Amino acid sequence: MAQKKQTYREAMQEVEDILSSIENDEPDVDELAEKVKKVSQLLKFCKDKLYKTREEVEQVLKDMDE
Amino acid sequence: MAQKKQTYREAMQEVEDILSSIENDEPDVDELAEKVKKVSQLLKFCKDKLYKTREEVEQVLKDMDE
Amino acid sequence: MAQKKQTYREAMQEVEDILSSIENDEPDVDELAEKVKKVSQLLKFCKDKLYKTREEVEQVLKDMDE
Amino acid sequence: MAQKKQTYREAMQEVEDILSSIENDEPDVDELAEKVKKVSQLLKFCKDKLYKTREEVEQVLKDMDE
Amino acid sequence: MAQKKQTYREAMQEVEDILSSIENDEPDVDELAEKVKKVSQLLKFCKDKLYKTREEVEQVLKDMDE
Amino acid sequence: MAQKKQTYREAMQEVEDILSSIENDEPDVDELAEKVKKVSQLLKFCKDKLYKTREEVEQVLKDMDE
Amino acid sequence: MEGQLTLSELNLLIKDSLETAFPEQLWVVAEIAEMKINRTGHCYLELVEKNSETDAILARARATIWMWQFRFIQPYFETTTGQPLTNGLKVLVAVTVEFHEVYGLSLNIKDIDPAYTLGDLARKRNEVIARLTEEGIIDMNREIPLPDIPSRIAIISSPTAAGYEDFMNQLENNASGYSFYTKLFQATMQGADAPRSIIMALDEVFEMADRFDVLVIIRGGGSQIDLGCFDDYELAMHVAQFPLPVLTGIGHEKDETVTDIVAHTKLKTPTAVAQYLIQKFDEAAEIIEHAKEIFINRVTNILHNENQLINASIRLLRPLVKNSIENASLKLRHKTKEVKPVIEDTLELENFRQIKLSDKVAAACQTAFQQQRNRIESLSVSSNHNTKLLYLKEEKIIFDKLHRLKYLSERILEKKQSQVNLFEKTTNLVNPENILKRGFSITLKNGKAVKNSRSVKHGDRLEHILYNGKIDTVVEKKKQK
């Protein structure tokens, strides 16, 4: 639920934060797995969003031309 | 509802403003689609209004000629 | 009601003013149809008045000849 | 009422003035019918007056010859 | 009464004046009939002077003698 | 049962503790065997977890590339 | 007495002396005091010379013009001077001095120079005129305006004169039927008495001058040359100052008399006076008729002109009005035509603006993508689609993050792995099993590991754990260190 409301920007920020924490805090393996999953999810979300945006914009521009 | 009350002039102004923001500000994936959609709607609204106006005006002019 | 009291001269002046505003001001699609309608009404009013005047005048001239 | 007191000369002057105004001024549709009516009345008045004068004069001249 | 005292010369002068006024002034239809009457009377008076002197004088002398 | 809930960190801590006790307490052979057995089990658990985590990370990257 | 002469001898002696003294004829100036013509036609005159100031007689002589000469002299004189040879005239005569024993001295007039008389008369007349002029009255009567219709006429004339009759006939029988009122004032119209008589008549008229328009002095039927009386100063003075205009019809052909000169109007004959008066009436009638005609013309003209003016106005009105309406109509049509292009232009402009704006949207998107592309150019992502650059960039970011994630994860995992490995190694080292492999064994006594040899006694039963098995033993010997 929370991810739906999350923005691309926030998601990317979170990815950055997580990566930072991985880099600096040396998480243990338990957390690492969790964090990797989280990053994976976030990046997937961004990718989807980016793709969707592209689709949308292109559709809109295409519609506009008509 | 808001668009119904919005004037053509205001709509065109908003398009200008949005374009300006797209052009000058850092583009934001989250907002880009929204903005483009908005522009599209506004331009559609203006196009419709212009078309309608043209129809009306042409009818009036036709009536005048008679 | 206002138009009954309006003179031909005023009506023509108003037409002139409206055309001038259409020509010189930023075109305003929102008001354009209204303006054109107004111009049409005014011109119709003038046409009617002119026709009526012509009728009246011709009657007077005809009466004079008798 | 005013016309009863008006002299032939004044009436003709008025006719002249009105004709002049019709000829020289910007055509005034609003006043044209009124002006033509006025001229018609004035000319009728003058014609009657002239006719009456002619009758009178002819009587006097006839009396003079006798 | 006034005419009885008026001399031929005065009467002719008046005729002359009226003729002059008719000729030189703006023609005045309003006064024309009156002027015609007046001139007619004056000319009659003058003409009478040519043909009725003896009777007049003799009447006067007779009146004086009585 | 306890091991299932046990985290990698706890497991590693326990390994560390046991190894420490082996070093310091000079356990007898029985104990030592017991302890070694325990450590072995724990390390296996960690090793598995590591492997699994690595698998997971790789899977994530692999998924993203697709 | 000696030397006595008879009268005849004396007279003869005088006669001889005179003949000797005046052998030639002489030109003598004298005034005719009296003049008589007898039946045979001889003319007997008395000549005098008067003091010009006092009128006193300075000299007197009898004179004769014999009939045969008089027959030539008289007509010549009268024709030349326009004057009868009569009393009061000054003459220049050619005379011979004659003396008759019985009749005494007499001048025989052989010739008369009319030029002298003419000059003298003229001089006298001029004197009268000069006097009247000097007195300022010569033009007085002329200055009185003649009435336009002189209908009341005072007449000074002799009632028996033919001229008076002519005058009255003329007036009363005028063709136009004009009405005149006349009154006769009688006077002697010729001879020496005439001036006095006429002056008396003038005084009479003067008394009732306001009843008359004009005074007529007429004389007719008398001698055409007996007009000296009208040069009389007194008469002329009265006429000049008379309050009514004086018309003269004295009846002479040549020079006018002084009375004529001072009169308002001089006419030759009574008939001419009557005609003059009638003419005045004719003129008046004509003026009246003319005035009437002019008047009728003008009035008719005015009426005609006014009628024309009204008609012209009516004719003018129609085209003016039509023109005015035409103009308004034209203007209205123009205005109507003007509307369409203005509106269409406006719409066109707006449409164009919209299209431009749409283009701008696409361009702005492109620009946005372009910016992204520039920012991640280093990634050397080759794509001609600018529009994809944003996504590529973000994808790259995502990709980078993923790899960072991988790298970091792996690093961490490696570390952990090595830790695990270390622990494993350590564990292996302490693992009794591994010690057993190297030949060590664990000795148990009563199931417990024997850590010290002192705890074993002779004969104890011991269990030995070896690699891959156990052996049981009994202690036989014990050696102590």
Side-chain angles (χ1 to χ4, degrees), chain C residues 5 7-8 12 17 19 21 24 27-28 31 37 40-41 43 51-52 59 63:
Chain C
K5 287 179 188 168
T7 66
Y8 182 93
M12 284 299 274
D17 293 346
L19 284 183
S21 82
N24 301 325
D28 191 336
E31 295 166 29
K37 263 182 220 157
S40 169
Q41 282 168 0
L43 286 174
Y51 180 77
K52 214 177 124 197
Q59 191 54 49
D63 292 350

Side-chain angles (χ1 to χ4, degrees), chain B residues 8 46-60, chain C residues 28-34 36, chain G residues 343 347:
Chain B
Y8 180 92
C46 289
K47 219 167 165 179
D48 289 351
K49 188 138 201 171
L50 190 60
Y51 179 76
K52 211 178 127 200
T53 299
R54 186 192 292 271
E55 293 280 292
E56 271 178 44
V57 165
E58 264 165 18
Q59 190 54 47
V60 170
Chain C
D28 191 336
V29 174
D30 298 306
E31 295 166 29
L32 193 62
E34 276 316 302
V36 172
Chain G
I343 305 302
L347 288 170

Side-chain angles (χ1 to χ4, degrees), chain A residues 8 12 15-16 18-20 22-23 26-29 32 35-37 39-40 43-44 46-48 50-51 53-55 57-58 61 64-65, chain G residues 357-359 361-362 365 369 387-395 397-402 404-413 415-416:
Chain A
Y8 180 93
M12 285 302 274
V15 167
E16 191 65 43
I18 294 171
L19 286 178
S20 251
I22 290 173
E23 196 165 22
E26 294 213 2
D28 67 30
V29 176
L32 185 63
K35 283 184 175 170
V36 167
K37 260 184 220 156
V39 167
S40 166
L43 287 176
K44 177 103 172 56
C46 286
K47 215 169 164 180
D48 289 351
L50 193 59
Y51 178 76
T53 298
R54 180 209 295 265
E55 292 281 293
V57 168
E58 267 167 14
L61 291 176
M64 254 170 66
D65 281 347
Chain G
L357 215 48
S358 294
D359 289 349
V361 172
C365 287
F369 300 143
T387 51
K388 286 181 183 164
L389 292 182
L390 175 65
Y391 312 113
L392 288 175
K393 174 212 151 195
E394 292 299 336
E395 279 175 349
I397 290 168
I398 292 169
F399 179 81
D400 285 351
K401 288 203 190 312
L402 281 171
R404 198 155 142 237
L405 176 67
K406 189 183 174 192
Y407 166 75
L408 290 174
S409 301
E410 279 177 351
R411 213 179 66 186
I412 289 166
L413 290 172
K415 210 169 161 190
K416 298 293 177 193

Side-chain angles (χ1 to χ4, degrees), chain G residues 444 460-466 469-475:
Chain G
L444 301 174
D460 284 352
R461 291 183 79 96
L462 297 174
E463 193 180 0
H464 303 277
I465 298 169
L466 303 170
K470 290 179 185 175
I471 50 172
D472 294 341
T473 59
V474 178
V475 179

